[in-house]
Amino acid sequence: MSSTPNAVTGKPLDRRDGPAKVTGTAAYAADQRVPGLLHAVLVTSTIASGRIAQLDASAAMKSQGVAYVLSRANAQRLPKDGKAAVNPPAGRVMTLFQDDAILYNGQPIAAVIADTLEHAKAGAEAVRVRYTGDDAVLDFANAKQSAYKPAKVQGRPADTSEGDVEGAIRNAGARIEAGYSTPFEHHNPMEPHATIASWEGDQLTLYDATQYVSGVKNTVSKTLGIDAKNVHVVCPFVGGGFGCKGSTWSHVVLAAMAAQKVKRPVKLVVERTQMWGPVGGRPLTEQAITLAAASDGRLVATKHAVVSHTSTFEDFVEPSALVSRMLYSSGTRATSHRLAKLNVGTPTFQRAPGEATGSFALESAIDEMAEKVGLDPLEMRIRNHADMSPDGKPWSSKSLFACYRLGAERFGWSRRNAKPGSLRDGNEWIGYGMGTATYPTNRSKASAKVTIAGDGVAVVQSGTQDLGTGTWTVMAQVAADALGFPLDRVRFELGDSAFPEAPVSGGSQSAASVSPAVQAACIEARQQLLLIATKDSASPLRGIAADDMTIVNGWFGSLSQPDRREPVASVMKRAGTAVVTQASSAPGKEKEQYEMHAFGAVFVEARVDADLCRVRIPRVVGAYAVGRRLNEKTANSQLMGGIVWGLSMALFEESLLDTRNGRYVNASLAEYHVPVNADVGSIDVLFVDEDDPHVNPLGVKGIGEIGITGVAGAIANAIYNATGRRVRDLPITLDKLMSA
Ligand code: MOS
């Protein structure tokens, strides 16, 4: 049997879900039509710490259209007080009305269920709550006095130390020591969290906006104490996730609890303001970096100490120092992570957790060191290139030099003027800055199923998700090539917990995990098809040896006798039986042998108004080596989107916590700034081809998160180059630039 050429994999095909989305027919979780459903609105706490003294729902119950008010007074008692499934990332410590404790402002304390959304909202307004307040810890400066070392950071030690760091710093020719910070941020996908819960007997169906259908199934079933087989989670489309939909939060279980009470389906859409509190966010970080270098710019010491916040009831670590463990070569090295507890909702993974925040600090520090030793920032990075991963393992592949070269050339980096504030155009200072991008290549076990019936169409299913990233499309491409089918003979389906299990669409791992499973299931199906054809006495292919057979473009054919051919569909029609295959694919020992990362280089032009310090970023060039691209267009879009989020992080995003009461004061898309089109200039995404035989059978490295990394540092560096002003606290707003 000959192998199939890659007819469609890699092609820049349009997203298959595109027409449904632009015509408004794509049904997201909250759009699902479920007859007879009621609407739930969450009531959330208005203090940050204490207890509910009294929750009076009597007025709410009398409010028009209200069917039920779920609260501590009547909530189902859950196994282990609702904490039976605490197993991050999918299972978090939820607040499910099992006690009176208030742990943060914005915590769900009741759900009002009514016939319409408006009635539920009015009912929620009518719930009267009295609290007994405790002192809340809301000031990070105070909280970090009692910062502690977490047990682990993403399965790794919180601290590392290699060599005599302090000695190397003492004896070095050049040192920089600086503190960087990143603020509270909240994910804010366009589609808020939303759940429709519907019971039929003991069967629970959840239409949920999630990055992890089987995670929701397992978490909800354990939390409620019911059999996982009785929970069905459906999520065909996700309107952005960015990490917040990787976990199952309180509202999902509360919707199921409410639906059980009212014996009707219940829809619960988390309001935009409620996106700041009970559903995670990016922790704020304070990062101290010390770099020491020899006079030639080679790093002799790298120190990166991170303090980030978590909630009072769960540890979430922002792993910002991981990037300093691997990105550059350094004679000695020490990294640490500490946590400080605040009375806020538990933060979570957000858009390249660790690498985004950590690379801002590290890439800024590298720029500062380059200036100190009189090196061009690109040369500084080239000189400190990590040829081997610092733990001594070889990289599975690494094409960072090529990214530096390609990006620098396209950008015109050689025209950069080393002296800050030396380039001016009218009333604007112009500066060039750069940063290195990186993200680990992750992969988990995944499964897929293929069914080919009499119509000759392959239905390929996997319980994965598409966050708007291209899973719908790239999996169909992989399947088509593995089968030898044209794309229009392949239907790929996802977003259903009844399909074979796939991992969370987080950590940039869906393509790397699911495409090998899809490929394996399709290869098996193809073999079965060939067998059917050679045994079919009515087929022109009967009796041909299996190794002389192929399937190309949906046709069986003999390699040696090209005129003997027949469409798969006609053979399958006669066969009267379907081919059904299922396969799993999982990582093997390659992680022990190789360190696996994607890399890139980002180049930025900043323009800063000389009077107002207004910043514009007219131009970004990013060059990336991310293994094989399954679809050139969706790959480009993902990287471009990541760069926009980097711009957002650098200049706009910040949730402001009122330290008197623990409420985020700018909890709306009007006041929590993200870039609009007018804020985004030209973004040029370039790729360095990379053939990595180690990462996974498809050779893909994952592209969901690398795009944001390195960008905020590159922007800070470009602003410094433009103005001579170094801002080390994100976001870089004009007030900070004026006073820098
Ligand atoms: Mo991503 S922040 O791992 O969903």
Side-chain angles (χ1 to χ4, degrees):
M1 187 182 80
S2 77
S3 65
T4 4
N6 286 315
V8 288
T9 303
K11 293 254 154 65
L13 302 179
D14 289 348
R15 274 159 47 175
R16 290 189 132 194
D17 46 329
K21 283 179 173 170
V22 297
T23 56
T25 55
Y28 292 78
D31 303 327
Q32 300 287 338
R33 289 175 196 275
V34 179
L37 69 71
L38 300 178
H39 298 260
V41 167
L42 290 176
V43 179
T44 60
S45 68
T46 56
I47 67 163
S49 179
R51 307 201 79 77
I52 301 169
Q54 192 196 19
L55 190 147
D56 178 3
S58 55
M61 277 306 295
K62 286 189 209 115
S63 184
Q64 190 182 352
V66 170
Y68 200 79
V69 179
L70 183 71
S71 73
R72 162 79 171 134
N74 52 18
Q76 298 90 322
R77 295 281 75 89
L78 301 174
K80 294 193 177 171
D81 296 328
K83 296 187 178 67
V86 177
N87 179 29
R92 312 304 296 262
V93 177
M94 295 180 257
T95 46
L96 302 171
F97 311 165
Q98 301 296 295
D99 57 36
D100 289 327
I102 300 294
L103 305 170
Y104 61 95
N105 201 323
Q107 172 188 319
I109 53 173
V112 176
I113 297 100
D115 56 348
T116 66
L117 176 62
E118 292 74 15
H119 288 157
K121 271 182 190 264
E125 296 286 322
V127 173
R128 295 283 161 261
V129 189
R130 274 197 308 109
Y131 302 94
T132 349
D134 291 337
D135 284 344
V137 184
L138 294 165
D139 182 34
F140 188 72
N142 279 340
K144 75 178 181 195
Q145 304 304 323
S146 16
Y148 59 99
K149 183 176 160 181
K152 286 268 175 198
V153 175
Q154 294 193 351
R156 285 170 238 221
D159 295 2
T160 58
S161 175
E162 300 154 51
D164 177 11
V165 184
E166 299 306 329
I169 293 172
R170 247 192 330 271
N171 300 323
R175 275 188 289 281
I176 68 114
E177 199 176 339
Y180 304 86
S181 74
T182 64
F184 296 108
E185 291 176 14
H186 286 83
H187 308 72
N188 276 293
M190 290 274 278
E191 178 203 32
H193 292 264
T195 307
I196 296 173
S198 173
W199 291 88
E200 270 177 58
D202 58 2
Q203 302 288 309
L204 172 62
T205 301
L206 294 166
Y207 300 95
D208 188 38
T210 179
Q211 294 171 229
Y212 194 12
V213 286
S214 58
V216 172
K217 178 182 80 171
N218 294 329
T219 302
V220 169
S221 61
K222 273 191 206 142
T223 303
L224 293 176
I226 60 178
D227 196 326
K229 284 201 271 304
N230 293 344
V231 181
H232 182 203
V233 181
V234 182
C235 180
F237 303 103
V238 186
F242 317 131
C244 63
K245 291 171 183 163
S247 310
T248 307
W249 303 100
S250 310
H251 67 276
V252 182
V253 180
L254 291 172
M257 292 165 69
Q260 206 164 30
K261 290 285 186 186
V262 298
K263 298 185 167 45
R264 296 264 293 271
V266 166
K267 166 150 69 170
L268 198 167
V269 178
V270 173
E271 291 175 6
R272 185 56 64 178
T273 54
Q274 295 171 346
M275 298 289 282
W276 280 258
V279 288
R282 200 200 286 282
L284 77 76
T285 69
E286 286 188 2
Q287 307 180 48
I289 293 200
T290 307
L291 297 179
S295 51
D296 65 356
R298 274 179 230 278
L299 293 173
V300 294
T302 301
K303 248 173 92 172
H304 193 164
V306 184
V307 190
S308 62
H309 90 275
T310 189
S311 68
T312 58
F313 53 98
E314 197 179 349
D315 282 358
F316 175 82
V317 190
E318 176 74 11
S320 306
L322 295 189
V323 69
S324 287
R325 292 181 189 172
M326 52 63 64
L327 194 52
Y328 298 108
S329 165
S330 180
T332 66
R333 204 188 301 265
T335 64
S336 66
H337 296 88
R338 295 292 177 270
L339 283 179
K341 285 186 185 296
L342 293 178
N343 281 102
V344 295
T346 307
T348 190
F349 310 93
Q350 181 171 329
R351 305 183 201 122
E355 279 75 14
T357 49
S359 71
F360 160 65
L362 180 62
E363 292 305 299
S364 297
I366 289 282
D367 200 72
E368 297 193 44
M369 179 56 97
E371 186 179 48
K372 188 147 236 174
V373 296
L375 276 184
D376 179 273
L378 176 56
E379 180 54 32
M380 174 77 192
R381 287 171 173 85
I382 289 171
R383 225 166 258 198
N384 287 289
H385 182 269
D387 298 336
M388 294 276 280
S389 89
D391 64 7
K393 276 189 260 179
W395 303 104
S396 62
S397 61
K398 181 174 182 179
S399 313
L400 182 53
F401 284 130
C403 295
Y404 285 145
R405 263 198 308 276
L406 183 65
E409 192 180 293
R410 175 70 64 93
F411 181 82
W413 180 256
S414 59
R415 294 198 298 274
R416 177 179 181 268
N417 196 321
K419 191 169 150 25
S422 55
L423 194 57
R424 192 163 167 153
D425 176 17
N427 207 38
E428 283 183 327
W429 299 108
I430 301 172
Y432 289 1
M434 69 163 297
T436 306
T438 192
Y439 196 78
T441 298
N442 297 313
R443 182 186 175 199
S444 303
K445 183 183 176 191
S447 305
K449 179 181 174 187
V450 180
T451 308
I452 304 167
D455 58 359
V457 171
V459 180
V460 185
Q461 297 171 321
S462 178
T464 182
Q465 302 73 215
D466 188 324
L467 317 184
T469 44
T471 320
W472 278 109
T473 313
V474 299
M475 293 308 155
Q477 290 173 270
V478 169
D481 282 344
L483 288 162
F485 281 21
L487 252 190
D488 63 6
R489 305 253 94 190
V490 175
R491 213 160 77 219
F492 179 71
E493 297 177 344
L494 52 68
D496 192 317
S497 66
F499 297 159
E501 193 165 329
V504 58
S505 290
S508 303
Q509 69 171 338
S510 280
S513 306
V514 180
S515 59
V518 165
Q519 189 183 52
C522 288
I523 287 171
E524 241 178 272
R526 187 173 185 273
Q527 259 148 352
Q528 292 195 20
L529 289 174
L530 290 171
L531 215 60
I532 290 173
T534 54
K535 286 183 178 161
D536 181 348
S537 58
S539 170
L541 299 145
R542 74 190 166 279
I544 294 178
D547 61 0
D548 187 34
M549 288 270 292
T550 187
I551 305 175
V552 175
N553 207 25
W555 284 65
F556 290 109
S558 159
L559 292 168
S560 60
Q561 308 163 65
D563 55 319
R564 289 177 71 179
R565 56 202 294 269
E566 187 179 12
V568 170
S570 48
V571 175
M572 288 307 289
K573 199 167 174 182
R574 276 197 308 275
T577 170
V579 163
V580 183
T581 61
Q582 183 161 336
S584 295
S585 184
K589 295 221 177 300
E590 62 277 6
K591 266 248 143 96
E592 294 158 28
Q593 293 163 325
Y594 299 99
E595 199 60 40
M596 303 174 182
H597 268 254
F599 291 94
V602 193
F603 298 84
V604 169
E605 177 181 323
R607 286 175 172 251
V608 182
D609 186 288
D611 299 318
L612 303 173
C613 289
R614 195 186 75 139
V615 179
R616 289 192 305 125
I617 305 296
R619 218 155 57 85
V620 182
V621 173
Y624 300 92
V626 292
R628 181 173 177 203
R629 282 98 63 200
L630 296 176
N631 178 318
E632 198 71 8
K633 187 174 192 173
T634 55
N636 185 80
S637 297
Q638 286 235 64
L639 269 308
M640 193 190 296
I643 290 169
V644 172
W645 280 126
L647 175 75
S648 188
M649 185 180 170
L651 301 180
F652 299 103
E653 283 184 80
E654 177 173 24
S655 295
L656 296 159
L657 188 73
D658 188 332
T659 53
R660 296 166 306 176
N661 56 27
R663 202 128 185 122
Y664 293 100
V665 298
N666 59 336
S668 76
L669 285 183
E671 293 183 274
Y672 182 85
H673 293 169
V674 295
V676 297
N677 269 321
D679 297 311
V680 181
S682 105
I683 295 180
D684 219 345
V685 174
L686 312 169
F687 289 109
V688 171
D689 290 333
E690 212 175 35
D691 186 7
D692 189 323
H694 307 298
V695 279
N696 48 62
L698 273 292
V700 301
K701 282 189 172 175
I703 47 178
E705 288 164 281
I706 188 175
I708 190 174
T709 70
V711 177
I715 289 175
N717 298 340
I719 291 172
Y720 176 77
N721 182 241
T723 63
R725 297 176 194 181
R726 175 64 65 179
V727 178
R728 300 186 182 88
D729 305 297
L730 294 185
I732 304 172
T733 47
L734 44 80
D735 54 311
K736 290 177 192 166
L737 261 179
M738 278 181 185
S739 56

